[in-house]
Amino acid sequence: MPVTAIVGAQWGDEGKGKITDLLAQEADVVIRFQGGNNAGHTVVNQHGTFKLHLVPSGIFNPNAVCMLGPGTVVDLAFLCNELEQLERSGISTANLRVSDRAHLLMPWHVALDRLDERERGRKKLGTTGMGVGPAYSDKVGRHGIQVYEVKDERRFRERVKRELETKNVILERFGDAPLDARAVADGVLAAAATLGDRVVDTLPLVETALARDSRILLEGQLGAMRDLDWGIYPYVTSSNPLAGGASVGAGIPPRKISRVIGVVKAYSTAVGEGPFPTELHGDDATALRERAHEYGATTGRPRRVGWFDAVAARHAHRLNAFTELAVTKLDVLDVYERISFCGSYELDGKETCDMPTTNALERVRPCYETLPGWNTPITAIAERRALPDNAQKYLSRIEQTVGAPIGMVGVGPERTATLL
Ligand code: IMP
């Protein structure tokens, strides 16, 4: 079982950080393969509670090498800040490596992300405002700056100046302040100096790890419903959080990924705009959100909450072929007498289990089954078989409708509160 991908099977925020933290205890290498500091992975362990944005959740294992793969977009100053905070909590970050092929997320990407959202007005996407979309746009449009480019200061300053010639025209056209090329370059170069020789070609490291049968974890950000190609476009992120994206973004040949864990919450949440068929509103939503502390780890925004959507999770399974599911936060449902469970949608008068395109998803009606709750605390339970009958039935219903077996169940926030 050397290479495991951990990916989100819903709208993001499924609890991947916790599952990665757990498995990273046994891992030799942990690689983030897409996204940037739009991620917010909450990890609760013996060192405290952490919200990681860029650094892989494997950082708490002193024996694991953690990498930001070539598929990520990296705000170097933000990264240094995060590393400093970890160091202050006594966590060594010496084992972090940043791919020299990753793209730099520059201050103008942040400015353009916010400008774009503002100009979209009521049609905004609800991005995290971290600059991720514009950074990937530049990458695809071949205007991106790769991390290795910081090593040649003169050339790097020239690149920054050239890019800002066009970016500043846009910023000023929409009434925003232009950015100063020297200040921008100074900031990035200072952060690069702090990182020093942690910027490397990650491919030889990965190749050696594979040759040694080392245990490699590929840590996804977000979930299938926000995938650039298969999610609810345009309310998606600008990269591919699927296991297929892990191969490219980490530099791992697809045949080498032998285990794909799809992480799902026992219910649904989403931050940002776009269709969300099982969304709850009013008091029901508030009760679930407060009970489960559903606020965005990156932006603090209240998360939209709803019932489990098996169509969405099955869509993710069709794209990822999960070897197993990890169900998180099952204990949140402890207080319900009855639980609604969406096994299919009604679309234009017909029942379907397929995920339609975004415009059609806006008008589907979730078909709910009502499942009996268990109405008792489960956090102290140590085995799946010891769960109350109705909790076991709920898990079985997830397995049947999604089509993948459950390998892990989270019954509380701690690393230890996970049934394997
Ligand atoms: P972006 O990735 O910041 O461009 O945002 C695109 C969409 O993905 C928005 O709906 C965001 O709210 C959502 N998103 C981005 N990162 C996360 C995350 O870590 N958790 C949940 N949603 C996210």
Side-chain angles (χ1 to χ4, degrees), residues 385-406:
R385 339 180 252 247
L387 285 170
D389 268 2
N390 287 344
Q392 296 196 45
K393 284 187 187 139
Y394 188 78
L395 294 176
S396 300
R397 195 70 193 119
I398 292 180
E399 289 177 320
Q400 286 157 6
T401 49
V402 178
I406 293 172

Short mmCIF file of all heavy atoms in Angstrom, two decimals, residues 385-406:
data_model
loop_
_atom_site.label_atom_id
_atom_site.label_comp_id
_atom_site.label_asym_id
_atom_site.label_seq_id
_atom_site.Cartn_x
_atom_site.Cartn_y
_atom_site.Cartn_z
N ARG A 385 -18.57 -1.83 15.05
CA ARG A 385 -19.64 -2.76 15.44
C ARG A 385 -20.31 -2.38 16.75
O ARG A 385 -21.39 -2.85 17.06
CB ARG A 385 -19.22 -4.20 15.68
CG ARG A 385 -18.02 -4.76 15.14
CD ARG A 385 -17.98 -6.21 15.61
NE ARG A 385 -16.92 -6.24 16.59
CZ ARG A 385 -15.79 -6.90 16.39
NH1 ARG A 385 -15.63 -7.62 15.34
NH2 ARG A 385 -14.82 -6.85 17.29
N ALA A 386 -19.63 -1.55 17.57
CA ALA A 386 -20.22 -1.15 18.85
C ALA A 386 -21.12 0.09 18.71
O ALA A 386 -21.74 0.53 19.67
CB ALA A 386 -19.11 -0.87 19.85
N LEU A 387 -21.19 0.64 17.51
CA LEU A 387 -22.06 1.81 17.31
C LEU A 387 -23.52 1.38 17.46
O LEU A 387 -23.86 0.22 17.19
CB LEU A 387 -21.86 2.37 15.89
CG LEU A 387 -20.58 3.16 15.62
CD1 LEU A 387 -20.43 3.42 14.12
CD2 LEU A 387 -20.56 4.48 16.38
N PRO A 388 -24.41 2.31 17.85
CA PRO A 388 -25.84 1.97 17.89
C PRO A 388 -26.29 1.45 16.53
O PRO A 388 -25.76 1.86 15.50
CB PRO A 388 -26.52 3.30 18.21
CG PRO A 388 -25.46 4.23 18.67
CD PRO A 388 -24.15 3.71 18.20
N ASP A 389 -27.29 0.57 16.55
CA ASP A 389 -27.80 -0.04 15.31
C ASP A 389 -28.10 0.98 14.22
O ASP A 389 -27.74 0.79 13.06
CB ASP A 389 -29.12 -0.78 15.61
CG ASP A 389 -28.83 -2.23 15.95
OD1 ASP A 389 -27.62 -2.58 15.98
OD2 ASP A 389 -29.80 -2.97 16.19
N ASN A 390 -28.80 2.06 14.63
CA ASN A 390 -29.22 3.02 13.61
C ASN A 390 -28.03 3.76 13.01
O ASN A 390 -28.08 4.17 11.84
CB ASN A 390 -30.24 4.02 14.19
CG ASN A 390 -31.59 3.34 14.40
OD1 ASN A 390 -31.82 2.27 13.84
ND2 ASN A 390 -32.45 3.96 15.19
N ALA A 391 -26.97 3.94 13.78
CA ALA A 391 -25.76 4.56 13.24
C ALA A 391 -25.11 3.61 12.24
O ALA A 391 -24.64 4.02 11.17
CB ALA A 391 -24.79 4.92 14.36
N GLN A 392 -25.11 2.33 12.57
CA GLN A 392 -24.55 1.34 11.63
C GLN A 392 -25.37 1.29 10.35
O GLN A 392 -24.82 1.18 9.25
CB GLN A 392 -24.52 -0.04 12.28
CG GLN A 392 -23.59 -0.07 13.47
CD GLN A 392 -23.26 -1.50 13.87
OE1 GLN A 392 -22.97 -2.32 13.03
NE2 GLN A 392 -23.29 -1.78 15.16
N LYS A 393 -26.70 1.39 10.51
CA LYS A 393 -27.56 1.37 9.32
C LYS A 393 -27.31 2.60 8.45
O LYS A 393 -27.33 2.53 7.23
CB LYS A 393 -29.03 1.31 9.73
CG LYS A 393 -29.43 -0.07 10.20
CD LYS A 393 -30.93 -0.15 10.44
CE LYS A 393 -31.28 -1.48 11.07
NZ LYS A 393 -32.27 -1.38 12.13
N TYR A 394 -27.09 3.73 9.12
CA TYR A 394 -26.81 4.97 8.38
C TYR A 394 -25.54 4.80 7.55
O TYR A 394 -25.50 5.13 6.36
CB TYR A 394 -26.66 6.12 9.39
CG TYR A 394 -26.56 7.49 8.74
CD1 TYR A 394 -27.70 8.14 8.26
CD2 TYR A 394 -25.33 8.13 8.61
CE1 TYR A 394 -27.61 9.39 7.66
CE2 TYR A 394 -25.24 9.37 8.00
CZ TYR A 394 -26.39 10.00 7.53
OH TYR A 394 -26.29 11.23 6.93
N LEU A 395 -24.51 4.23 8.17
CA LEU A 395 -23.25 4.02 7.45
C LEU A 395 -23.45 3.04 6.29
O LEU A 395 -22.93 3.25 5.18
CB LEU A 395 -22.17 3.50 8.40
CG LEU A 395 -21.73 4.49 9.50
CD1 LEU A 395 -20.73 3.82 10.44
CD2 LEU A 395 -21.10 5.76 8.91
N SER A 396 -24.22 2.00 6.53
CA SER A 396 -24.48 1.02 5.46
C SER A 396 -25.20 1.68 4.29
O SER A 396 -24.93 1.38 3.13
CB SER A 396 -25.34 -0.13 5.95
OG SER A 396 -24.70 -0.78 6.99
N ARG A 397 -26.12 2.60 4.61
CA ARG A 397 -26.86 3.28 3.53
C ARG A 397 -25.89 4.13 2.69
O ARG A 397 -26.03 4.19 1.47
CB ARG A 397 -27.95 4.16 4.16
CG ARG A 397 -28.99 4.63 3.19
CD ARG A 397 -29.88 3.50 2.70
NE ARG A 397 -30.66 3.93 1.54
CZ ARG A 397 -30.60 3.38 0.34
NH1 ARG A 397 -29.81 2.35 0.10
NH2 ARG A 397 -31.34 3.84 -0.66
N ILE A 398 -24.91 4.74 3.35
CA ILE A 398 -23.90 5.50 2.59
C ILE A 398 -23.14 4.55 1.67
O ILE A 398 -22.96 4.81 0.48
CB ILE A 398 -22.92 6.24 3.55
CG1 ILE A 398 -23.66 7.35 4.30
CG2 ILE A 398 -21.73 6.81 2.77
CD1 ILE A 398 -22.80 8.14 5.28
N GLU A 399 -22.74 3.41 2.20
CA GLU A 399 -21.97 2.45 1.39
C GLU A 399 -22.78 1.98 0.18
O GLU A 399 -22.28 1.92 -0.94
CB GLU A 399 -21.56 1.25 2.24
CG GLU A 399 -20.49 1.59 3.24
CD GLU A 399 -20.11 0.42 4.15
OE1 GLU A 399 -21.02 -0.33 4.56
OE2 GLU A 399 -18.91 0.26 4.44
N GLN A 400 -24.07 1.67 0.43
CA GLN A 400 -24.91 1.15 -0.68
C GLN A 400 -25.11 2.19 -1.77
O GLN A 400 -25.03 1.88 -2.95
CB GLN A 400 -26.31 0.78 -0.15
CG GLN A 400 -26.35 -0.49 0.65
CD GLN A 400 -27.59 -0.49 1.57
OE1 GLN A 400 -28.44 0.40 1.53
NE2 GLN A 400 -27.66 -1.48 2.42
N THR A 401 -25.39 3.42 -1.36
CA THR A 401 -25.74 4.42 -2.37
C THR A 401 -24.52 4.97 -3.09
O THR A 401 -24.57 5.28 -4.27
CB THR A 401 -26.52 5.60 -1.74
OG1 THR A 401 -25.81 6.02 -0.59
CG2 THR A 401 -27.93 5.20 -1.37
N VAL A 402 -23.41 5.09 -2.37
CA VAL A 402 -22.21 5.64 -3.00
C VAL A 402 -21.49 4.53 -3.78
O VAL A 402 -20.94 4.76 -4.86
CB VAL A 402 -21.26 6.27 -1.94
CG1 VAL A 402 -19.98 6.79 -2.59
CG2 VAL A 402 -21.97 7.40 -1.21
N GLY A 403 -21.51 3.32 -3.23
CA GLY A 403 -20.89 2.20 -3.93
C GLY A 403 -19.48 1.89 -3.49
O GLY A 403 -18.77 1.15 -4.17
N ALA A 404 -19.05 2.45 -2.37
CA ALA A 404 -17.69 2.17 -1.88
C ALA A 404 -17.77 1.80 -0.40
O ALA A 404 -18.64 2.33 0.32
CB ALA A 404 -16.80 3.39 -2.07
N PRO A 405 -16.88 0.93 0.07
CA PRO A 405 -16.92 0.55 1.48
C PRO A 405 -16.35 1.65 2.38
O PRO A 405 -15.50 2.43 1.94
CB PRO A 405 -16.01 -0.69 1.53
CG PRO A 405 -15.06 -0.51 0.39
CD PRO A 405 -15.80 0.25 -0.67
N ILE A 406 -16.83 1.68 3.61
CA ILE A 406 -16.30 2.66 4.57
C ILE A 406 -15.16 2.03 5.35
O ILE A 406 -15.31 0.94 5.92
CB ILE A 406 -17.43 3.11 5.52
CG1 ILE A 406 -18.48 3.91 4.74
CG2 ILE A 406 -16.86 3.95 6.67
CD1 ILE A 406 -19.72 4.25 5.53
#
